[in-house]
Amino acid sequence: AQTVTQSQPEMSVQEAETVTLSCTYDTSESDYYLFWYKQPPSRQMILVIRQEAYKQQNATENRFSVNFQKAAKSFSLKISDSQLGDAAMYFCAGGTSNTGKLIFGQGTTLQVKP
Amino acid sequence: DGGITQSPKYLFRKEGQNVTLSCEQNLNHDAMYWYRQDPGQGLRLIYYSQIVNDFQKGDIAEGYSVSREKKESFPLTVTSAQKNPTAFYLCASSIKRGGIYEQYFGPGTRLTVT
């Protein structure tokens, strides 16, 4: 069974600063992958970034990057140069390549202060 | 424009009535999923379907039913047997890209049962 845990219910960051959201996971699968999704007040889920477990290199998408520590089962999201539009709930999710179904963490609400 | 459509955005029902939530996609994705989101919580998988005429239970399937008669459509019925049906329901579809299923979400339906 897979589990995904986000231990920070809320975080805040000053505009233009950097913030890191934490996520830990547990799985017995060898072929798995991890995602971060963003859910703004509109409640539309938006895919932010993905990481394949077999890849050593951390994924990066513009201002968003991950720190994937396989041995520690940690998958944190770093947001650089935070913008007001980054304010949202962020979900970490894990899945396997056979079914595509995802297990989600509880979410972290990010507040961006002007 | 390709995308996932869920209708209606808000749905109200009386206790004891069955209600069907619509999900349509024109992305030509094979797999489709239904999730439930409760306030302040992550998403939990209800049902998923990887091909037409086939579907599997997720983690919280009790009180729900689905059908997959067409590739584009995956309606969810919330039956009167579901004890706490009031929630936000999200439909997703996925495509395998680089060995990974990337899930894309519809805008969601907020169901209120009184």
Side-chain angles (χ1 to χ4, degrees):
Chain A
Q2 275 191 310
T3 59
V4 177
T5 303
Q6 293 177 254
S7 57
Q8 305 158 316
E10 294 178 358
M11 293 281 285
S12 67
V13 63
Q14 209 68 37
E15 196 176 3
E17 297 291 307
T18 295
V19 65
T20 298
L21 308 184
S22 301
C23 173
T24 57
Y25 64 92
D26 197 7
T27 180
S28 55
E29 303 284 341
S30 58
D31 184 17
Y32 62 93
Y33 45 92
L34 299 158
F35 295 105
W36 279 97
Y37 279 88
K38 171 184 177 180
Q39 188 179 43
S42 68
R43 306 197 78 173
Q44 174 74 55
M45 293 286 283
I46 301 165
L47 176 61
V48 175
I49 199 166
R50 71 179 218 185
Q51 174 78 44
E52 294 91 325
Y54 67 87
K55 285 191 176 177
Q56 303 278 0
Q57 189 173 7
N58 289 325
T60 299
E61 289 285 345
N62 301 314
R63 296 183 296 107
F64 298 88
S65 62
V66 299
N67 184 5
F68 177 48
Q69 300 288 327
K70 197 168 182 177
K73 297 184 177 180
S74 169
F75 181 62
S76 60
L77 175 70
K78 185 171 85 171
I79 306 174
S80 304
D81 185 26
S82 297
Q83 300 175 0
L84 295 177
D86 294 334
M89 182 166 265
Y90 286 83
F91 290 97
C92 178
T96 57
S97 61
N98 54 347
T99 65
K101 58 180 186 174
L102 296 177
I103 303 296
F104 285 82
Q106 303 89 326
T108 297
T109 300
L110 177 66
Q111 181 187 23
V112 181
K113 299 178 181 176
Chain B
D1 255 293
I4 302 170
T5 304
Q6 289 185 247
S7 60
K9 191 172 178 67
Y10 299 97
L11 194 52
F12 298 88
R13 281 294 183 270
K14 294 289 186 186
E15 197 173 315
Q17 294 178 336
N18 290 355
V19 59
T20 297
L21 281 59
S22 163
C23 179
E24 304 278 332
Q25 56 99 359
N26 60 5
L27 301 168
N28 200 33
H29 288 176
D30 287 317
M32 297 186 74
Y33 312 80
W34 273 105
Y35 293 91
R36 170 184 172 135
Q37 185 179 23
D38 292 287
Q41 296 188 32
L43 282 64
R44 291 182 292 167
L45 183 66
I46 304 171
Y47 268 98
Y48 67 102
S49 168
Q50 292 182 280
I51 55 171
V52 174
N53 292 321
D54 189 43
F55 48 82
Q56 284 76 41
K57 291 181 179 180
D59 300 317
I60 56 165
E62 187 175 346
Y64 299 97
S65 65
V66 293
S67 63
R68 187 87 187 276
E69 297 175 3
K70 298 186 299 182
K71 188 175 185 177
E72 303 79 18
S73 179
F74 190 41
L76 173 74
T77 296
V78 185
T79 75
S80 56
Q82 169 50 234
K83 294 177 183 175
N84 297 296
T86 294
F88 186 62
Y89 290 88
L90 284 155
C91 176
S93 68
S94 71
I95 186 170
K96 207 160 187 177
R97 205 189 297 277
I100 296 177
Y101 281 99
E102 283 190 354
Q103 283 194 24
Y104 296 90
F105 286 81
T109 292
R110 170 69 182 173
L111 173 65
T112 302
V113 177
T114 57

